[in-house]
Structures are given as C-alpha cells and as structure tokens.
Amino acid sequence: MQGVSVGFAGKKIIFNIDMTLMSGEVTCLMGPSGSGKTTTLRLVAGLLKPHEGEIRLLGKTINSETDEDELIDIRRELGVVFQGGALFDSMSVGQNIAFPLRYCRNITEEETISSMVLDMLEHVELGDVREKFPSELSGGMRKRVAIARALVHSPELLLLDEPTTGLDPITARHIDQLILDLCRKFGFGVLVVTHDLTSALGIGHHLLLMEEGVISWRGPSRDWSTSDHPGVRRFAEGMISVQRSGGSGE
Amino acid sequence: MGLLSWVGRQALVFSETLGEFALFTYRAFLGVFSGVWSRKDLLEQLERVGANSVFVVSITSAFTGMVMAVQTLDQFVRFGATSYIGGVIALSMVREMSPVLTGLVVSGRVGASMAAEIGSMKVTEQLDALRTFGLDPNVFVGVPRLLAGLVMLPVLTLFSFVIGIGGGFLYVSAHGINPHLFWRSVEALLNPSDIYGGLLKAAVFGLLITISACGQGFLTGQGARGVGTATTGAVVWGNMLILVFNYILSSVLFGGIKG
C-alpha cells in the first residue's frame, strides 16, 4: 500500500498511508474508534478504491482507475472476517462455509465440499455444527465459523475486522490463539484491525497505530511497550484508564 | 428558506432513490443472463411471493368480487340490465381490480419483507461479504427476487380473477340472478385481450414491487432505524409506482373508445 488516501463526500478519511503485509506474519492495525481502521481494511479487501496512491496485491494493482472485474478477481483470493461475522443467516453453518468453495473456486462435487467443510470446522476447533444456523451459535462460535468461511478457499491473505470485539476475555484469547495457529499452519499473511491492545500485543508481529486517518506509529510488537511516541502512550494509557474505571482495583 | 431547503432535500432523496432503482434494474437484468445467482434461491422466492401470498390474495379477491356485486346488482336490476352483471364484474376484475389489488397486497406483504431482509443484510455486512466472494449483490440477491415477482404476480392475478368472479357469482346467485345468465354475460363481454392485458399489468407490477423492495434494501442506512425506513419506503414506492403505472398501462391497453 503506497501513498493511499480516500475520502467520502469531499472529506478525506485516510491520508497518504503506506503499509506492507508479509506472508506468515500477523500485522495489527490499532487505533481509536473512527480513526479509519476499518476503511483501511476495506481498501485492502478491494471493497473500496483509493482516491490517491495504489495498493499492490497478489501481483495486481488497485488504484482509482481499477475496474470492478479486476477487483472481483482480487477479492476472490482474500479471506475477510467482518466485525459481526457477516454469516448468511438464511443458510446453515455448513452452507456458509461451503459458499466460497462453490462461488470462488467453482467446486460442485458435494462430497468434496462436505469433506472440506468438516476439515475446516476441525481447524477452527468446532465440532460438526454444519446443520446449525448462525442464530443458534454463541458469539465466539460465530467468529470461528466466520474464520472458517474466510479460510476454506485457501486465500493468500486473511483480513479480520475486530475479531475479539464483543467476546469475553477467555474466548477472545482463544480466537487470538486460533489466528496465530492458522497463520503458522497455512502461511498466509494476516491483517487484524483491532482496538484490543491485549490481543494486538499477543498476536501481532508488527503493530501499526492509526490516528485521525494517519499511521502515526509502526514497529515490531516488542517495541510498543518501550516507545515514547505520544500516540502510543495516549492509546496505552487510555486502555489502562478504562480498565481502572472498570474496577480492576489497580 | 426552511421550506426551500426541505423541498431541495426531498428532491435529492427522490432522485437518489430513482437512480438506485434504475441502477439496480440495469445490473439485475444484465445479471439474469451473465451473472451468478442461485436457482435454489429463485425457488424459495417463488414460494415466498407466490404460494405464501395465495391465502391473503384469495380473501382480498373474494370479498372485492362480492362488494362489486353488491354495488352493481341494485343499479343493474333498476335499469333492467341484469344480463350484464357477470360481464361487468369479470371485466372490472380482470382489467383493474385483480392486477391492482394483487399488486398492492404483495407489495405490502412481500415487498416490505424483502426490503427488511436486504436492509438487514446490508447493516450486518452480509452484502459486503458477498462482494468479497466476487459476487454482485444486485445480481445474487436481486435476480431471484426480480424473477419471482415477474413470474408469480401474473399467476396470483389469474388466481385472483377466478376467486373474484366466483365471489361476485356467489353474491348475485344468492340474490336470485340466474347463474346461466351470469356466465353467459361473462363469455359475451370478456375477451382474451382483456385477460392478456391484465396479466401484462400484473407482470409489470411484479417488477415494480421487487425493484422498489430491492432498491430500498440496497439503499438502507445505518442501524435498525435504517431498516425500518427502507421497509416503509419499499411499500410506499411500490404502491405509488403500481398506481401510476396502472393508469399508464390502462390508457395504453384499454384506453380510447372502441367502436
């Protein structure tokens, strides 16, 4: 991603962003609400086109001139997990996970699809919940199913929008571990958009801090705690003060 | 100044809505032949629009047929024109009442639910999820609904003709009119072109209902309020378009004095 800017209704949301995602590594994009994290993820996912700059992804370039057909080809090579999971609620879990196989990979053999779905459910540590509907699952299970659906067609890059938001701390750490394990096992690059600092420090090889549409800090996760950058301190202190006001007793 | 800006805002919303409808219609029609959509979803939508609307269309049509008989019987007896009652009821049902009432009923029942469903899909990012799999929501979600409206509205309207005329027949025969006379006047006054015209209207209404429902669904704003607004908008636009196009189609198909 090089010099990318985007805006809506004449107002710029993202300014001149550079970012590199590496295979087999997890990059966490952090920042307060409204800082432009999700918009950045949507740019990488090919759901938005940059107004300025370009994104080089899987040997193709996305810029303001890229047409929809090229974007469709790029999107099919990515796995995206949306904040709420975005599971199709009219379909069973099995049908949800089979969806990318049918429409991104054009697999039609039911036996192949069924075994790949079961295999993927095992990878995300869910039993055979193929017949259940998303409304019958807990929040953590829905996130796992969403991750399974995003990975079943073997994407080159996994993009996750707030994967731990709304989950209890134990389930959130399980999801973190799952993301790390899958990244190691399959070797794809991962971009996680989050404001959960614990999660980012736990799984991120690289961290990026976004404030008001600009990446204000970047570095390996080990450098976060020693950084003097005011944005980093502000974000970290914000997290601590929220924990204190929540009654942690510190 | 306040009034002027209100009028300006409404004009903008109006043109944005019409633009969205036009764009959706264009993409969906192209997608019927070249896009990816689910045949299984089409069957579900046919059931949703057609089979699930049969009961409410039956009740509406039967009572409308009877009310028409109530209104015409007294007048026709007074003028000694009882031999025309069946034909007049049949013509009214076939040309106007059945297509319009079926359209309005389906718009309220199915259009609203389609808009709410698509609106919820948008709010919960399911439409974006479809796009990440390389699918166009206008085609994948829209085409089965559009085709279901196009096919099932004429079927329901045909059903409504029969039930409506049957309702009228029951009322007049209960009031001493010769059944043979009723059906002979139906035969004499009703032409195949009236039936084709009524079915053509129904097909157009089916398209208008689904275009309004899907268009409003795709335009849904944020949150539950956005879904509510889209649902209301789908019914208001659907009904409005049905009545406007009914006038246009009636003028074209049945207008003028035929010698």
Side-chain angles (χ1 to χ4, degrees), chain A residues 42 47 68 72 75-76 80 82-84 86-89 95 99-100 103-104 149 153, chain B residues 36-38 40 117 120-121 124-136 140:
Chain A
R42 293 172 70 82
L47 293 169
E68 185 65 16
I72 286 172
R75 286 186 208 130
R76 283 190 173 139
V80 184
F82 291 92
Q83 191 171 347
L87 296 175
F88 304 126
D89 43 25
Q95 288 168 330
F99 197 88
Y103 294 105
C104 294
R149 187 180 67 175
H153 61 302
Chain B
V36 179
W37 48 276
S38 159
K40 187 171 159 266
E117 182 190 22
S120 302
M121 287 179 79
T124 56
E125 296 180 304
Q126 291 177 52
L127 297 181
D128 283 330
L130 283 174
R131 293 178 66 211
T132 62
F133 299 129
L135 300 170
D136 179 355
F140 193 82

Side-chain angles (χ1 to χ4, degrees), chain A residues 211-233:
Chain A
E211 294 176 293
E212 295 176 1
V214 176
I215 292 182
S216 58
W217 184 88
R218 69 180 74 215
S221 53
R222 63 176 177 275
D223 290 355
W224 174 272
S225 55
T226 56
S227 172
D228 294 331
H229 188 278
V232 170
R233 300 273 50 91

Side-chain angles (χ1 to χ4, degrees), chain A residues 156-170:
Chain A
E156 304 279 334
L157 185 63
L158 179 64
L159 310 171
L160 300 108
D161 189 6
E162 306 282 5
T164 55
T165 298
L167 301 179
D168 64 84
I170 295 169

